[in-house]
Amino acid sequence: MQTARWVTVMKPSFIREILKVTAQPGVISFAGGLPAPELFPVPELVAAFADALAGSGRQLLQYSPTEGDPGLRAVLSERLTERRVPAGPDDILLTNGSQHGLDLVAKALIDPGDLVLVENPTYLGALQAFGPYGPRIQPVESDEEGMLPGALADAVARERPKLVYVMPTFQNPRGTSMGAARRTAIAAVCRQAAVAVVEDDPYGELRYRGEEQPGIRSFWDQAIYLGTFSKTLAPGLRLGWVTAPPALMGALKLGLQATCLHVGTLTQRVAAMVLSSADYPIHLARLRQEYGRRMSVMLGQMESAFPAGTRWSNPDGGLFIWVELPDGLQSLDLFHLAVAQKVAFVPGQPFFVGEGGDSMLRLNFSNSTPAQITEGMARLGRAIAQLTGAGAPLGT
Ligand SMILES: Cc1ncc(COP(=O)(O)O)c(C=O)c1O
């Protein structure tokens, strides 16, 4: 059987391959971007599913409109607007998670050969989502805050891109964020050139310190915004949304209809109920407190366990810390030593378009307990020391 050309061009996700290795017993894994299952609001979801089915079961088990539950879109509109991501209910389309949102945006905008500009490093899953539509993907020079507006302006002037993809808040993989000035500048470049810009924001509500920043939509109402319940409720719900200008909404809906008609009716209603409940702010506060604690434990342990010259990001939220090894040491070499020590992470290279990331790695702190983080950082510190040639032999 002859598959489509994109299948042969696309590589399987390196992270998924790593996750197979790390599923072995006894491995402390900082590799995936998984939330803590012990923090899923299971009793609240049990009650909401039961109430929804008992109250409106026949309606909620039926097909429903493509754009999604009006109640959920109304609650989301209020919450987003409060968070300075202005959006009316009709600007919101429910999706099966933001990965689906990335696919829909690409489906609506990209013809084969179109140019997509991304930060470097960037979210691997976005590259995978765009891939089947045949774009040329080019990295834009980036620093700790993400994409550099000057470099973006140059790229836009040189070669008209179709789409710009950014993660301004708690970027995956760096964990770092754009300040207000950077956001304004990125929005201005895209607005002036009328180039579509996507803000992907799965982590914005997981802030542990610092001030919340405005969304790109607050500087340009044509900006696209992707949100998800994966990190604040549970990824297994597969529920997220695209916020888009009216001119794009028709194409997004057509794309969604073509793949799946609409997102699960019952799940959307349950999400609306949970979001509107008095317990939700308590749930969010608990997530922030516990993830913030895990991040602090990781940062503190890195300070004491990592050899001199190792550097790392110091995020205000999200789920990741980005590490740079000393003396150009290779994170892939470290990966093999670390796995032998039963500790895992994602090497930096797969997050880069083109060259880069060889000395870097991404650590997740949400899916390990503070005790696992402490032990895992000690193991990783020993593995880095061994790689530098300064450490005691592993196993001691
Ligand atoms: C930046 C980014 N975008 C999108 C996604 C996909 O999330 P979802 O579970 O909503 O599909 C992730 C998942 O980790 C992510 O990190």
Side-chain angles (χ1 to χ4, degrees), residues 96-99 102 123 165 167 172 200 202-203 228 230-231 238:
N96 294 298
S98 42
Q99 193 66 27
L102 288 165
Y123 170 54
Y165 171 70
M167 285 163 281
N172 181 359
D200 189 6
Y203 307 108
T228 180
S230 286
K231 315 297 174 178
R238 304 312 303 138

Side-chain angles (χ1 to χ4, degrees), residues 122-291:
T122 190
Y123 170 54
L124 204 53
L127 304 180
Q128 281 195 305
F130 301 155
Y133 301 99
R136 288 172 298 130
I137 296 183
Q138 269 177 27
V140 176
E141 198 186 338
S142 308
D143 65 6
E144 303 73 48
E145 276 192 73
M147 193 176 274
L148 289 164
L152 173 63
D154 290 348
V156 166
R158 238 187 359 257
E159 202 178 352
R160 207 179 158 70
K162 201 67 173 289
L163 183 64
V164 174
Y165 171 70
V166 287
M167 285 163 281
T169 311
F170 315 137
Q171 205 239 25
N172 181 359
R174 282 189 205 252
T176 49
S177 302
M178 292 182 188
R182 179 70 61 96
R183 289 162 197 255
T184 318
I186 297 279
V189 173
C190 295
R191 189 182 59 233
Q192 274 153 25
V195 175
V197 57
V198 183
E199 169 175 2
D200 189 6
D201 185 30
Y203 307 108
E205 290 196 281
L206 298 179
R207 173 175 289 281
Y208 321 128
R209 55 192 181 198
E211 288 269 302
E212 186 155 38
Q213 297 294 331
I216 303 274
R217 272 179 74 84
S218 71
F219 306 110
W220 188 31
D221 62 1
Q222 301 295 298
I224 302 160
Y225 173 95
L226 302 181
T228 180
F229 292 103
S230 286
K231 315 297 174 178
T232 47
L233 281 181
L237 293 172
R238 304 312 303 138
L239 194 58
W241 66 93
V242 183
T243 304
L248 189 62
M249 202 35 112
L252 291 171
K253 279 191 212 168
L254 273 181
L256 189 141
Q257 245 167 29
T259 348
C260 61
L261 303 179
H262 65 80
V263 169
T265 319
L266 175 61
T267 313
Q268 292 182 64
R269 178 62 60 85
V270 163
M273 290 162 73
V274 172
L275 231 61
S276 317
S277 86
D279 290 338
Y280 188 66
I282 301 167
H283 165 68
L284 265 189
R286 190 161 157 249
L287 280 187
R288 291 185 185 123
Q289 189 187 24
E290 183 55 29
Y291 289 156

Side-chain angles (χ1 to χ4, degrees), residues 33-38 40 230-235 291 319 364 366-367:
L34 278 61
E38 62 274 23
F40 292 152
S230 286
K231 315 297 174 178
T232 47
L233 281 181
Y291 289 156
L319 302 185
N364 162 268
S366 55
N367 193 236

